[in-house]
Amino acid sequence: MTAETMLASSFATLPDLIRAHAAERGTKLALISSAGTIDYATLDRRIDQVAAALQRDGVQPRSCIAICAAPSIDYAIVFLGALRAGCAATPLAPSATGPDIAAMINDSGAPIVFVDADTRTALDGQALTATIVDLDTDAFIDWLAAPGARPAPADIAPDDPFNVIYSSGTTGIPKGIVQSHAMRWAHIHRNAGAGFGEAVTMIATPLYSNTTLVTLLPTLGWGGTAVIMKKFDARDFLELASAHRATHAMLVPVQYSRIMAVPDFDRFDLSAFRLKTCTSAPFSAALKADVVARWPGLLIEYYGMTEGGGTTMLVANAHPTKLHSVGLPIEGHDIRLIDDDGNEVAPGKTGEVVGRSPAMMTGYHGRREATQAAEWFDAEGRRYIRHGDIGRFDEDGFLILMDRKKDLIISGGFNIYPSDLEAVLAQHPDVADCTVVGVPSEAWGETPVGFYVPRGSATDPAAILAWTNARLGKTQRLAALHIAAELPRSAIGKVLKRELRDQLSKAET
């Protein structure tokens, strides 16, 4: 079956699409990185080597295959090879602490984990149920099946797990979000008119992020070329985009902010760009307007969540008066607003966002109660996912986000859960009570700041801050720590975080 026929069908798998591209356009570059390039024919053969090696080692279909490393071509090959073997790729954040990485590997049940040197160091001394394979050593080459090996065909059904993405966390075990092949097929298939077949797509966010995958997967599914950055730098991005005549990119708001702030931005040739997208964090109207004015091609903001649910889309170029919104629900996506009792709110009123679409998670890995808590059902019994955000629709149907129902902090496009940071801070012997809030940051969009009530009279905020940050992942560290005589609380004992944010805001004015 040709790639064109597959892409016009009701369901196809990404490994099969890559096989078809290899047969039809084998010499076309699939992946580019600072370490080299790989065309579709070679990519297909390397994917076979990974899948055959997994089968050789007795790894069963629908098992999780964990990957925890910096972005690279070999990382992508392992991810795709796991899929061809019928397994679920499980990309993990290398910025997490060693104990958290180990906890996620063990929670997933992965029999094997692929790591780089930094992750291997982080995992030293951790109790693991998985075998470790080093991606950046000869051990990976030795592990692969022999060149020319072909795996046994895997029978992949639409509801089979495609990947498991773990929510951000620093204590306990983060939740694994299970996404099916049908969900990922929906991501690929809905981009029929986005030009990914001839795209040169900049991949500037980590490969463990859902934000990255919703752009990388359509690029490979339609037969385009992806340029993988090992680490984001604004000037490097512009240099690479100009050199490779990039056409597509998915970036988070803080990346757009840094790119637009490059002093000689206008000297870079970005004229090949057709589509730039953004998601994962609040995107200011002013920044959107600047991108539209100075960067060629369409700018589209997507609002959604890793768990799925509903997605909205704002074509910024076409709606200059709606840049304060996140756009309209895309075709086939149903977004509702509900009150605290689970009832739909009246038109124009504010409520919690819930969404339904073909792109929804199966559930949280091994966590039935958490999955049920994330669901809402309408009067007809149809399943929706709670987004955890508060919003309202304007008179034209554009969704305007008001606040997050939960106190999720989004810093540099990464989700940070205050409760995780609070749990670490509370372990310090000089901390009697504490909380963490998100505050605006020019560099990161938002950043976490802590407040604590000291235990006893002797206390050193700087020392406690350093102690806490040493126990947090790189992307979750506190920017500051303040002493409080007591934390403001409601009548039922809930910390009033808005009051703390207001205190910080007033102190800065």
Side-chain angles (χ1 to χ4, degrees), residues 217-420:
L217 301 183
T219 299
L220 296 176
W222 287 90
T225 301
V227 181
I228 299 175
M229 296 186 71
K230 184 175 183 179
K231 183 178 181 180
F232 175 76
D233 173 84
R235 182 170 293 278
D236 288 349
F237 177 93
L238 290 170
E239 295 281 4
L240 287 168
S242 178
H244 292 293
R245 301 288 294 163
T247 62
H248 292 60
M250 167 71 89
L251 298 162
V252 297
V254 68
Q255 291 175 317
Y256 278 108
S257 178
R258 292 178 180 177
I259 290 170
M260 302 310 292
V262 171
D264 54 346
F265 170 87
D266 295 320
R267 82 167 177 84
F268 293 94
D269 182 5
L270 305 179
S271 60
F273 266 95
R274 296 182 56 187
L275 176 63
K276 305 172 299 300
T277 52
C278 185
T279 189
S280 297
F283 195 5
S284 74
L287 182 54
K288 292 176 197 175
D290 189 28
V291 174
V292 169
R294 300 169 56 203
W295 193 335
L298 284 178
L299 173 64
I300 295 179
E301 179 182 15
Y302 289 104
Y303 162 68
M305 58 191 305
T306 303
E307 286 88 339
T311 299
T312 65
M313 179 176 74
L314 174 69
V315 183
N317 310 63
H319 299 286
T321 64
K322 300 290 187 180
L323 300 186
H324 61 291
S325 78
V326 292
L328 300 163
I330 67 176
E331 184 178 356
H333 289 232
D334 183 8
I335 292 181
R336 312 277 182 94
L337 302 177
I338 62 173
D339 61 23
D340 289 341
D341 296 321
N343 301 312
E344 288 191 57
V345 303
K349 298 296 184 181
T350 296
E352 179 185 354
V353 180
V354 297
R356 170 180 171 80
S357 72
M360 303 205 317
M361 71 170 180
T362 304
Y364 293 115
H365 177 66
R367 303 201 182 190
R368 182 178 179 182
E369 290 185 1
T371 299
Q372 292 173 338
E375 297 172 330
W376 177 80
F377 293 86
D378 67 11
E380 287 73 39
R382 291 173 295 198
R383 176 176 175 256
Y384 291 69
I385 300 294
R386 292 177 179 265
H387 286 221
D389 292 310
I390 302 297
R392 66 176 178 84
F393 287 104
D394 71 9
E395 64 277 6
D396 298 314
F398 286 73
L399 180 62
I400 300 170
L401 297 180
M402 313 298 291
D403 203 350
R404 287 185 292 277
K405 187 170 184 179
K406 297 179 181 179
D407 291 310
L408 176 68
I409 300 169
I410 303 178
S411 181
F414 296 99
N415 291 350
I416 299 175
Y417 292 87
S419 60
D420 291 333

